[in-house]
Amino acid sequence: MLTLQPRQRVGHDILLARHGNNISTMHFDRSNDRIIALLDDGSWDSAPNLIAPQLEMPETIGSVFRKDWRFLSVALVAMLTVAAIAMGISVEMANHMSTSELQALLVNYPAF
């Protein structure tokens, strides 16, 4: 089931549990998917962002776009094509109507 929740970084919680108030700064290492902490004594520690590698994380909007970009692109092109065809048909129909028919259509349109 698609929940679209933001992903939580468990590395922060792991490092806080290990070192508590002894952490000076923390930052996210995207290339290794780890949280790295600089401790008060000058040493470094890191923790992974996954509890278990086989654990499936909830989907985010970004991950859905990355995974389904082809389908979404085709759907967008299809919707724009249908809209352009409908607009072309309506403009062409309006061009072939006489002024009195067009005026009657415009006056009576809000009744529908």
Side-chain angles (χ1 to χ4, degrees), residues 50-62:
L50 291 177
I51 297 172
Q54 67 274 15
L55 181 65
E56 222 174 282
M57 297 296 284
E59 301 241 343
T60 63
I61 291 177

Side-chain angles (χ1 to χ4, degrees), residues 17-28:
R18 283 184 195 163
H19 303 289
N21 289 339
N22 296 327
I23 298 174
S24 295
T25 61
M26 280 195 276
H27 71 274
F28 179 49

Side-chain angles (χ1 to χ4, degrees), residues 22-92:
N22 296 327
I23 298 174
S24 295
T25 61
M26 280 195 276
H27 71 274
F28 179 49
D29 181 13
R30 289 187 191 279
S31 61
N32 296 321
D33 196 29
R34 299 180 74 77
I35 302 295
I36 299 174
L38 173 64
L39 304 177
D40 289 339
D41 62 358
S43 62
W44 293 89
D45 192 11
S46 66
N49 274 326
L50 291 177
I51 297 172
Q54 67 274 15
L55 181 65
E56 222 174 282
M57 297 296 284
E59 301 241 343
T60 63
I61 291 177
S63 68
V64 169
F65 282 137
R66 277 191 302 275
K67 185 171 60 176
D68 297 334
W69 69 271
R70 286 187 181 131
F71 170 74
L72 294 172
S73 299
V74 169
L76 175 70
V77 168
M79 288 188 311
L80 289 175
T81 303
V82 168
I85 290 170
M87 182 179 285
I89 290 171
S90 64
V91 166
E92 197 60 34

Side-chain angles (χ1 to χ4, degrees), residues 5-17:
Q5 297 175 353
R7 294 186 177 180
Q8 300 296 319
R9 296 187 180 135
V10 296
H12 285 104
D13 296 334
I14 294 170
L15 289 171
L16 284 171

